[in-house]
Amino acid sequence: MRALIARNGSVIVEEVATPQPARNELLIKVTSAGINAADLLQARGHYPPPAGFDPERLGLEFAGEVIEAGSSELSFQPGQFVMGVTGGGAHAEFLTAPASACIPVPASIDPMTAGGFPEAAFTALDALIIQANLSIGDRLLVHGALGGVGTAAVQLGALLGAEVVAVVRNHEQDTRALSLGARNSVTPDEISSSGPYDVILELVSGENLATNMNALATNGRIVVIGVGSGAKTQIDLRLLMGKRGTLRASTLRARSWEEKALLASRVEHHLLSHLATGAYRILVEEQFNLADGAEAYDRFSKPGKFGKIILTTE
């Protein structure tokens, strides 16, 4: 089968062995798979995958058709379409994954775009519901609101009944933010004066933490899930203490299959019906064939995306 390989700082297409499913696993023919920041970092040699995954193989999320089930007792069987997250190897024609960590692709969703759903949705749900305990009526500030995870977080926050404020580069992007369910949008320079916020989702840079704490409400929560523009900063902890604030951080990729299965169950419960009805949308900036993987990664590295860059295998 064909797969995308990271080698010497480049992304190439290479023939590799087709995997075989264990008893608890599914063999999935990938129809689509999103590109994420962790993939780009890995391709550049800066983010090795978790133990047990080939360091050259790329891809964290997938959607596709079940070709073979390791057991007839598994919840999914050949012919069904599923999606999920993995530690690596999703940018390929086939992959294996535990059935318990997969969720069904709704019949109303095109499998050619469904691969852009799992990573962003799983990450946003974990951050907002599990980490931040976002509640109805909370004010939520989302950094990087027009990227893959950002668009997921804005939509999920609105569905949960929060007042969502999106951080955009400039106000020419306001319409896009509002179309996702944001109540308002602000530029980075306007954050401090636009608070207070009960929950702040940091997707961009550790350097934003000082501004975030200035804008945080009493008993507010900051959750850091991305630092693509810088991981280091200095903060005055007295400000966080004075606001009785909480600072949390999380990653998804290195979690065990058991943890991913639990999260998959929560995503299925909270979001799948909204995805099926169109209340939650998969935002796709551009699609590329697997054969054009290097070009797709180059496009992902450039700013100005509204949603996901997706690879397809057909």
Side-chain angles (χ1 to χ4, degrees):
M1 70 170 188
R2 296 176 302 159
L4 291 192
I5 303 293
R7 187 172 296 151
N8 300 322
S10 298
V11 175
I12 61 175
V13 180
E14 193 169 276
E15 289 287 333
V16 301
T18 302
Q20 298 301 311
R23 182 172 177 79
N24 68 324
E25 291 182 332
L26 307 172
L27 175 63
I28 299 162
K29 184 182 186 300
V30 178
T31 55
S32 58
I35 299 177
N36 295 279
D39 298 314
L40 184 63
L41 289 172
Q42 181 181 340
R44 293 174 172 175
H46 302 311
Y47 192 1
F53 290 90
D54 187 334
E56 290 190 328
R57 295 286 304 279
L58 297 163
L60 307 181
E61 63 179 335
F62 61 87
E65 182 182 1
V66 177
I67 300 300
E68 182 181 345
S71 167
S72 61
E73 299 175 356
L74 296 180
S75 53
F76 297 105
Q77 293 296 312
Q80 293 181 275
F81 283 86
V82 298
M83 53 188 171
V85 296
T86 181
H91 293 167
E93 291 181 298
F94 296 90
L95 62 76
T96 57
S100 61
C102 296
I103 59 177
V105 176
S108 59
I109 301 302
D110 184 356
M112 303 301 286
T113 61
F117 172 79
E119 179 72 15
F122 280 44
T123 301
L125 186 140
D126 177 72
L128 295 182
I129 294 181
I130 299 175
Q131 305 294 329
N133 192 28
L134 185 70
S135 301
I136 294 175
D138 279 348
R139 292 197 80 217
L140 166 65
L141 180 74
V142 179
H143 285 270
L146 300 185
V149 177
T151 57
V154 171
Q155 292 184 87
L156 177 58
L159 288 170
L160 292 172
E163 178 188 336
V164 184
V165 178
V167 181
V168 296
R169 292 176 181 270
N170 55 67
H171 285 297
E172 294 177 358
Q173 299 177 317
D174 288 352
T175 301
R176 288 180 168 182
L178 297 177
S179 73
L180 298 173
R183 185 81 58 85
N184 195 9
S185 58
V186 296
T187 64
D189 292 339
E190 298 169 336
I191 292 173
S192 293
S193 60
S194 66
Y197 295 100
D198 300 291
V199 175
I200 299 177
L201 186 61
E202 181 53 66
L203 289 155
V204 179
S205 173
E207 292 185 354
N208 291 334
L209 282 183
T211 301
N212 289 340
M213 289 199 299
N214 283 328
L216 194 65
T218 300
N219 295 315
R221 293 86 73 197
I222 299 171
V223 182
V224 180
I225 58 171
V227 288
S229 296
K232 296 182 179 180
T233 189
Q234 285 188 319
I235 58 175
D236 186 345
L237 290 175
R238 294 171 297 183
L239 184 57
L240 190 66
M241 294 163 63
K243 294 189 174 184
R244 302 190 294 282
T246 300
L247 175 60
R248 302 195 64 161
S250 177
T251 60
L252 176 60
R253 186 183 192 187
R255 298 188 195 185
S256 67
W257 279 118
E258 290 77 15
E259 291 176 296
K260 288 174 181 174
L262 289 172
L263 187 53
S265 177
R266 298 193 72 161
V267 169
E268 184 172 0
H269 173 73
H270 285 283
L271 266 183
L272 213 58
S273 63
H274 295 299
L275 178 65
T277 62
Y280 178 101
R281 295 179 290 146
I282 303 171
L283 278 297
V284 179
E285 173 69 21
E286 197 167 351
Q287 290 178 287
F288 293 81
N289 189 272
L290 186 69
D292 301 315
E295 183 182 351
Y297 270 71
D298 182 63
R299 174 64 186 91
F300 180 85
S301 70
K302 293 179 170 57
K305 298 179 292 296
F306 182 42
K308 304 284 295 199
I309 302 296
I310 291 181
L311 292 163
T312 64
T313 60
E314 298 178 3

